[in-house]
Amino acid sequence: LDPSGGLLCDEMGLGKTIQVLGLINETKPNATLLVAPLCTLNQWQQTAERCGFCVWRCHPSTSEWELPKNFRPGAKHLYVVNYERAIARETLVNQRVWPRVVFDEAHRMADPKGQCFSLAKQEIRAKSRWFLTATPIVNALKDVLSLFHLLGIEGVAATLPEQLHALILERVLCRRMADLRSSLSDLPDEAREVNHILDFETADEAEFYRGIQGILQRRFRMLQHEEGGQAEMFRLIMRL
């Protein structure tokens, strides 16, 4: 496909890390840049090293890559850096054209005015781009359009559902636990919802609570029709 890449939006727990490492291992480019949240870098490194990759990390006090202890010229090389470090030290990522770049937790780039979006758009040049996120749409449909824009696909409009649907079928892999339970036996147990209702100690206590609840419910309905009332609605919910 041109441009090369896509969106991997499987639900959490379905193995996006292993799928990406498998893609890297089975395709030609030997060097891949991975940009991810700081809290996930060690997991990526440990999993990649178990798969035989040479993992490069940024030196803690310079803008250079540290030579891996298991360096092997013919191996697959994975360069991992967190978003904040890549933004602060742009020379880590903008001094070459990467054969492939992978953005983990890519919903961070949904805002075209944000630093993460600017990093991917202006600083990182790559022949192939992959975006990993279980939540491609956070607030609105335009969130996923931002990712398509970073992929290099222009002119897609949320107002053209047929065009967008065709693009999603071509560029997005999105699987859910509920859809795979019949075919995969080793998935985590299905979540269960348990409701435990506490009784009031006295009738006066119940009457007082329901009176307050009625007042808040009436106020909540009024706020639904007021501009900018979302914050106040949230505060009312927390009071209940």
Side-chain angles (χ1 to χ4, degrees):
L1 293 175
D2 186 24
S4 174
L7 279 63
L8 178 54
C9 302
D10 283 356
E11 189 176 356
M12 185 172 61
L14 290 179
K16 291 189 289 293
T17 300
I18 292 298
Q19 289 182 74
V20 168
L21 294 178
L23 170 69
I24 296 172
N25 190 59
E26 295 299 322
T27 50
K28 187 174 181 180
N30 284 334
T32 296
L33 172 66
L34 169 72
V35 187
L38 179 62
C39 61
T40 67
L41 292 190
N42 287 338
Q43 178 188 353
W44 273 101
Q45 179 175 359
Q46 293 165 8
T47 306
E49 288 177 344
R50 287 199 301 269
C51 295
F53 288 69
C54 290
V55 180
W56 297 69
R57 297 286 294 265
C58 172
H59 190 279
S61 58
T62 68
S63 296
E64 298 180 354
W65 296 99
E66 288 188 312
L67 186 70
K69 295 180 180 179
N70 64 339
F71 176 79
R72 301 186 315 282
K76 297 289 185 178
H77 294 264
L78 184 65
Y79 295 75
V80 299
V81 64
N82 61 293
Y83 284 98
E84 293 77 13
R85 182 67 63 86
I87 291 169
R89 301 181 183 178
E90 297 169 351
T91 55
L92 271 171
V93 297
N94 67 5
Q95 297 300 299
R96 60 185 291 186
V97 177
W98 297 92
R100 180 191 293 115
V101 61
V102 176
F103 297 97
D104 193 12
E105 302 295 335
H107 49 269
R108 290 182 172 217
M109 294 175 286
D111 181 6
K113 298 180 181 179
Q115 288 183 310
C116 291
F117 185 95
S118 297
L119 173 72
K121 180 68 176 177
Q122 300 175 11
E123 300 297 336
I124 298 178
R125 295 170 295 158
K127 296 179 181 178
S128 181
R129 290 170 170 255
W130 288 91
F131 301 89
L132 279 57
T133 174
T135 52
I137 299 176
V138 180
N139 295 311
L141 194 58
K142 61 182 178 61
D143 297 338
V144 72
L145 297 183
S146 295
L147 299 182
F148 285 136
H149 179 74
L150 291 174
L151 183 57
I153 301 174
E154 307 286 353
V156 182
T159 55
L160 299 175
E162 292 184 1
Q163 179 190 31
L164 184 59
H165 183 258
L167 184 59
I168 289 174
L169 291 177
E170 181 182 78
R171 292 289 185 163
V172 179
L173 175 61
C174 182
R175 301 177 300 167
R176 294 289 177 257
M177 289 275 192
D179 300 328
L180 298 177
R181 288 194 179 279
S182 61
S183 56
L184 297 178
S185 59
D186 57 346
L187 290 177
D189 292 337
E190 190 171 2
R192 294 185 303 152
E193 181 177 336
V194 178
N195 294 322
H196 183 67
I197 301 176
L198 298 176
D199 292 330
F200 293 103
E201 293 186 0
T202 66
D204 290 341
E205 187 181 77
E207 183 180 358
F208 176 80
Y209 178 84
R210 293 186 178 114
I212 296 296
Q213 186 181 44
I215 294 172
L216 295 180
Q217 286 175 339
R218 288 192 293 274
R219 176 60 178 156
F220 188 88
R221 286 193 291 268
M222 291 174 60
L223 288 170
Q224 287 179 313
H225 305 288
E226 294 182 9
E227 184 177 353
Q230 289 83 357
E232 179 65 19
M233 289 165 65
F234 177 76
R235 284 193 289 269
L236 291 178
I237 292 172
M238 297 303 295
R239 289 181 185 178
L240 294 173

